[in-house]
Amino acid sequence: MSSNDSDTMAMRFGLGPAASGEDWSPDGMVRSLTILPPDKLLTYPSAAERLVEGYKLAAVRRKASGTERMTARKRYNDFTLGSYRLDVHHRIVWGATTALSFAERLLAFWSNHFTVSKRKPTLRAVLGPYEAEALLPHIGGRFADLLKAAVKHPAMLLYLDQAGSVGPNSQAGKRKNRGMNENLAREILELHTLGVHGGYGQSDVVELAKVMTGWTVDRATGQTQFRRNQAEPGVKTVLGRSYGGSRPQAGDFDAVLDVLAVQPATARHVATKLVTHFISDRPPESAIIAVAERFMASAGDLLQVYRALAETPEARSHLGAKARN
C-alpha cells in the first residue's frame, strides 16, 4: 500500500494521516484489533464500584433533612458529576494520544450504536466504565457477544428502566402489583439489531420485554443480576420462535439475543450504519451489500465485517465526504 493510500485509510478509519510504520491495509487494520494491549486500553473504576458508592450517597441524601440534606445532595452531585468529568477528560486524552486509532473510531461508533445517556444522575458515574467494560473488549469479537455485553450492562439496564421491569404474573409482580417496561426491548429491536424496518411488530416488543423481566441491577453489589421471582412465567414468542416456560431461565434472554444477532435485517442495519459512519452520509448500496453479506457469511464476526468494509472500493473514494466545517 502506498503512503497516499495509507493516509487515505488512516484519515477515513482513524484520526488523521498515517504515522510512520502504521499498516492501514485491510489486513493491518484487522490485525491491530487482535493485539489490543491491556495497558493501552481505557481504565476506570468499575461500574459496580461507582454504582454502590452512588447508591450509598443517595441513601444518605434521602434520609437527611435541613442543612444536612443540602450537604448530602452536594456530596452526591460532586461524586456523580465529578466522576463524569474525570471520565470525559480521560476519554478525550486517550482518544487523542492512543496509537490504536482504528479501535478509537470503532469505540465511538459502537458507543453511538449502543447509546447510554447521562440524563439520569446515577448514570453520570458509569458512562466511562460502560465503554471500557461492555464495548471496547468486544469490538473485535462476535456481534452477538458485543450485543449481550452492551444491553446487559448495569448502565443500559438503568438507562432504559429495565432494572425496574417486573413480570406482572411473577411472584414479585403479584405481590407488589408492579409491571413490565418495554423500553429496552424496543431499543434492542429498533436500534441495536433489526432496525426500524426489520420486520418485527409490537407483539415482538412485548414478548421480548417479557423474556427480559427479572434482569435488574443489585443495589448491594452494583452488578447485573437475574431474579427469577421477578421474571414473567410462561412461553414467549419472538419473531416466531418460542422461549421459556413455566420456570423462567436466565439463558432465555441470551438465546433471543443470539438469534437477533445473526438475522439478515440485523446484518443490513449494522452494515448501513458502518458504511454511513465511515464512508458517506449517502451510503453506497454496493458497499452496504458487501458488508452485510460478510456479516451473514461469518455469523457476525466483526473482524470479518471490518475487513469487508475496508476492502470496498468506496473506502478509497468519496474523499472528503465525511469532512465537516
Side-chain angles (χ1 to χ4, degrees):
M1 177 176 283
S2 70
S3 59
N4 285 342
D5 282 343
S6 290
D7 283 344
T8 296
M9 296 296 280
M11 287 188 285
R12 169 145 284 162
F13 293 100
L15 299 170
S20 177
E22 282 187 336
D23 184 356
W24 281 95
S25 66
D27 283 343
M29 291 166 61
V30 168
R31 191 181 310 115
S32 73
L33 300 175
T34 67
I35 54 173
L36 296 176
D39 62 329
K40 300 297 184 184
L41 301 183
L42 285 166
T43 54
Y44 303 98
S46 71
E49 262 183 89
R50 292 266 185 86
L51 283 173
V52 169
E53 181 64 19
Y55 287 142
K56 288 178 180 177
L57 291 171
V60 171
R61 181 191 60 186
R62 284 193 300 271
K63 293 177 182 178
S65 60
T67 57
E68 289 183 357
R69 185 177 179 83
M70 292 177 62
T71 300
R73 183 186 295 118
K74 184 177 185 305
R75 285 177 180 164
Y76 174 77
N77 288 334
D78 285 349
F79 171 72
T80 58
L81 194 54
S83 297
Y84 171 73
R85 286 170 175 164
L86 284 172
D87 292 351
V88 168
H89 174 77
H90 183 46
R91 179 73 170 79
I92 291 171
V93 170
W94 184 79
T97 60
T98 182
L100 307 168
S101 57
F102 184 38
E104 152 62 19
R105 286 290 306 281
L106 287 171
L107 180 58
F109 171 82
W110 290 117
S111 293
N112 180 272
H113 186 79
F114 294 108
T115 297
V116 173
S117 168
K118 69 177 179 68
R119 65 183 176 85
K120 295 182 179 178
T122 302
L123 291 177
R124 296 170 185 162
V126 296
L127 298 186
Y130 166 70
E131 280 196 331
E133 295 168 359
L135 305 184
L136 189 55
H138 299 284
I139 60 173
R142 293 172 60 245
F143 178 73
D145 294 330
L146 175 62
L147 172 66
K148 285 183 275 191
V151 302
K152 292 168 68 177
H153 191 275
M156 185 70 77
L157 298 181
L158 291 168
Y159 170 51
L160 291 173
D161 304 312
Q162 176 60 34
S165 183
V166 175
N169 297 303
S170 68
Q171 294 174 18
K174 290 178 179 179
R175 187 172 65 250
K176 299 182 179 180
N177 194 29
R178 292 169 62 186
M180 194 170 65
N181 189 293
E182 300 174 8
N183 289 350
L184 181 54
R186 189 177 305 280
E187 294 282 290
I188 288 171
L189 294 171
E190 181 177 323
L191 300 179
H192 300 156
T193 59
L194 304 175
V196 68
H197 301 298
Y200 67 92
Q202 175 60 19
S203 63
D204 295 306
V205 175
V206 173
E207 292 293 286
L208 178 55
K210 289 179 182 178
V211 172
M212 292 161 53
T213 52
W215 284 96
T216 187
V217 177
D218 181 22
R219 284 177 169 263
T221 65
Q223 297 178 341
T224 296
Q225 183 182 71
F226 176 70
R227 294 177 180 165
R228 186 173 282 109
N229 72 323
Q230 296 181 4
E232 181 73 2
V235 175
K236 299 91 175 174
T237 303
V238 182
L239 297 180
R241 293 176 180 247
S242 297
Y243 303 88
S246 58
R247 183 174 170 81
Q249 303 291 331
D252 295 340
F253 189 16
D254 281 355
V256 180
L257 295 176
D258 280 330
V259 171
L260 290 173
V262 292
Q263 294 298 303
T266 298
R268 181 169 178 86
H269 180 57
V270 172
T272 300
K273 291 190 69 174
L274 281 166
V275 174
T276 302
H277 180 84
F278 284 103
I279 294 178
S280 174
D281 288 343
R282 295 181 178 179
E285 182 66 15
S286 56
I288 293 172
I289 291 172
V291 175
E293 286 180 346
R294 190 74 62 87
F295 188 109
M296 290 302 297
S298 66
D301 180 339
L302 292 175
L303 291 183
Q304 292 301 314
V305 171
Y306 305 146
R307 183 189 296 276
L309 180 66
E311 288 174 347
T312 62
E314 293 85 356
R316 291 173 179 77
S317 60
H318 299 283
L319 300 182
K322 300 298 293 185
R324 294 291 183 269
N325 291 329

